[in-house]
Amino acid sequence: MAEGEQGVKKEEEEGQVVNPWEVSAGKGGIDYDKLVDQFGCQRLDAALVDRVARLTGRPPHVFLRRGLFFAHRDFSDILDLYEKGEKFYLYTGRGPSSEALHLGHLIPFMFTKYLQEAFKVPLVIQLTDDEKFYWKNLTVEESKRLAHENAKDIIACGFDVDRTFIFTDFGYVGGAFYENMAKVARCVTYNKAVGIFGFSPEDHIGKCSFPPVQAVPSFPSSFPHLFPGKDQLRCLIPCAIDQDPYFRMTRDVAPRIGYQKPSLIESRFFPALQGENTKMSASDANSAIYVTDSTKEIKTKVNKYAFSGGQDSIELHRKLGANLDVDVPIKYLNFFLEDDDELEHIKKEYKEGRMLTGEVKQRLIAVLSELVARHQRARAQVTDEMVDAFMAVRPLPKMFS
């Protein structure tokens, strides 16, 4: 099968399901080594991380140096081009199914902002309001409204308006973008789409028609106002690994329609408060920390719901220490505590029983409260006019400067 194409049936048989619409772990949590083998992507090793630091002249992002972005497809090719003085562009996105983003939603945008600043390259951000209309039983109007609200949270991450184009599918799809969708669609049989995405006979045809929509922002000709005459410009896509099936399909099709394969850099999943065997859900506010949460709400959620790897009693904890592999506060600190030395100190003390669960949770509450408050301040400054500016179909003359 091209590009490591695997059906969802095999994943189900082996105890975990990972696709763009469902993520469920086996008994031991997500097996990322198995995912890499199943999907046919590559491990992102220390040599690549060191190379990023050398080429950009800045320390690698915490998500890189701690292995949270852990897999890739042809990322080394992007670095080869950059080292030769050639350009590329970034593409990421969001399916706007809820008004408020949780911290897991921020991960790709925080990392993409770093990539944009480090490499000084343009970025396109797709808001798939049509996808959520198909999958979440929302009205068109509600899907569009949520996309607009989510755009404000994305802009609040600090993207450069001179290098960033944000678009919604309902607002932008047409012209050259639609032409590329048609080219992709003609190359993918229904049987192949079922093998990649697991569509069933009960799914409506809107779902089956969607994959080309997410595929074609990988091709610069989909944005003639940005990249005229640059049809072979390479694209790098930062995303969570559950989005990989879209781009396995895209990479298989790209050479057949005259385009370069997009490269990917892929992250682990951000766990729910209750642990890696559960999923953050918009229907369960206590499964995640949202960017709209108050400090009091963050404190309550962490203290009450964050799954602990500590022991049942202080005496036992002092003797046995904590199980860091299942401890959610440690996993969250791994994402958001910048200081490597402090993180290692906390892990060591907690694992050996000298630090208690309550102390680790208190540090996490402080870190998350600061992060969320900072985001809320930035979000409050984003106006409808700023959203319009990011979404305006316009050239970006300073995008590579």
Side-chain angles (χ1 to χ4, degrees):
M1 293 183 180
E3 285 294 324
E5 177 188 316
Q6 300 287 341
V8 296
K9 289 182 181 177
K10 182 180 178 183
E11 294 173 7
E12 290 169 350
E13 290 167 1
E14 295 179 351
Q16 67 179 21
V17 178
V18 176
N19 61 52
W21 310 287
E22 182 182 358
V23 176
S24 60
K27 291 181 180 179
I30 297 293
D31 186 333
Y32 289 100
D33 289 328
K34 184 180 291 184
L35 271 187
V36 167
D37 291 340
Q38 286 180 350
F39 286 178
C41 46
Q42 303 149 285
R43 276 277 182 181
L44 206 161
D45 58 22
L48 272 180
V49 175
D50 292 342
R51 192 177 177 202
V52 170
R54 177 173 58 81
L55 289 176
T56 61
R58 61 169 65 194
H61 194 280
V62 62
F63 296 165
L64 265 184
R65 65 180 188 261
R66 293 183 188 160
L68 302 172
F69 274 79
F70 76 105
H72 72 101
R73 292 183 183 274
D74 294 344
F75 182 47
S76 52
D77 290 358
I78 294 289
L79 298 182
D80 289 344
L81 289 171
Y82 185 78
E83 194 162 23
K84 294 174 186 175
E86 297 183 37
K87 306 297 184 183
F88 65 94
Y89 74 100
L90 297 164
Y91 156 41
T92 195
R94 157 97 180 121
S97 59
S98 60
E99 188 146 351
L101 275 61
H102 58 59
L103 294 183
H105 295 140
L106 287 186
I107 301 300
F109 295 110
M110 293 170 70
F111 187 63
T112 301
K113 177 180 178 287
Y114 153 78
L115 292 173
Q116 184 182 58
E117 291 179 345
F119 290 99
K120 297 179 174 58
V121 290
L123 161 68
V124 296
I125 298 175
Q126 180 183 42
L127 295 174
T128 56
D129 45 5
D130 54 341
E131 177 197 17
K132 297 310 173 186
F133 170 74
Y134 291 142
W135 265 270
K136 297 294 185 179
N137 202 29
L138 300 171
T139 65
V140 169
E141 292 73 22
E142 180 66 359
S143 298
K144 291 166 73 173
R145 187 188 71 81
L146 292 175
H148 185 85
E149 291 302 310
N150 285 186
K152 292 181 177 179
D153 279 306
I154 292 167
I155 292 167
C157 292
F159 292 108
D160 182 351
V161 70
D162 290 329
R163 289 195 177 101
T164 306
F165 173 54
I166 301 176
F167 67 99
T168 65
D169 289 342
F170 280 139
Y172 181 73
V173 171
F177 193 102
Y178 185 74
E179 290 172 15
N180 280 336
M181 284 171 51
K183 292 175 185 177
V184 170
R186 198 170 70 175
C187 289
V188 182
T189 66
Y190 178 71
N191 282 344
K192 189 166 190 176
V194 170
I196 297 171
F197 299 106
F199 296 131
S200 72
E202 290 74 32
D203 284 324
H204 58 69
I205 61 174
K207 291 183 179 182
C208 306
S209 70
F210 178 75
V213 185
Q214 187 159 321
V216 301
S218 310
F219 307 141
S221 63
S222 297
F223 307 101
H225 62 287
L226 296 178
F227 309 120
K230 294 186 171 76
D231 287 2
Q232 298 304 307
L233 188 68
R234 291 294 296 267
C235 175
L236 173 63
I237 305 169
C239 61
I241 196 166
D242 61 330
Q243 299 300 301
D244 189 87
Y246 282 116
F247 303 112
R248 295 206 301 275
M249 178 196 77
T250 307
R251 286 168 54 85
D252 182 48
V253 168
R256 297 160 61 189
I257 58 176
Y259 296 135
Q260 297 287 337
K261 293 182 179 183
S263 298
L264 283 82
I265 183 165
E266 301 177 313
S267 73
R268 297 172 178 268
F269 301 119
F270 190 71
L273 283 167
Q274 289 81 0
E276 287 192 330
N277 289 335
T278 63
K279 187 179 180 184
M280 287 181 286
S281 170
S283 61
D284 181 4
N286 294 319
S287 68
I289 304 295
Y290 285 83
V291 296
T292 52
D293 284 348
S294 66
T295 299
K296 182 179 179 181
E297 287 171 321
I298 292 170
K299 182 177 180 179
T300 299
K301 287 183 179 183
V302 171
N303 282 332
K304 190 172 182 180
Y305 299 108
F307 186 82
S308 169
Q311 303 301 327
D312 292 338
S313 69
I314 292 178
E315 182 182 8
L316 204 58
H317 185 82
R318 296 292 190 201
K319 180 181 178 180
L320 300 177
N323 179 354
L324 303 189
D325 291 337
V326 299
D327 192 90
V328 168
I330 288 294
K331 292 179 184 295
Y332 277 33
L333 287 171
N334 206 35
F335 274 89
F336 295 123
L337 181 59
E338 285 282 347
D339 190 319
D340 292 336
D341 292 336
E342 182 184 0
L343 179 64
E344 287 310 306
H345 174 75
I346 291 172
K347 286 181 176 179
K348 185 173 187 294
E349 294 296 296
Y350 191 36
K351 184 177 183 179
E352 296 180 3
R354 290 186 292 272
M355 182 176 267
L356 300 176
T357 296
E359 296 173 285
V360 177
K361 287 189 173 184
Q362 284 305 112
R363 186 66 184 108
L364 176 62
I365 289 165
V367 169
L368 296 185
S369 296
E370 180 184 352
L371 171 69
V372 170
R374 186 167 63 244
H375 181 86
Q376 289 172 356
R377 289 193 297 270
R379 172 66 155 76
Q381 301 301 312
V382 178
T383 64
D384 290 335
E385 290 74 22
M386 289 173 67
V387 175
D388 291 342
F390 273 90
M391 289 189 170
V393 178
R394 79 257 183 227
L396 299 175
K398 299 179 182 177
M399 62 185 177
F400 288 119
S401 61

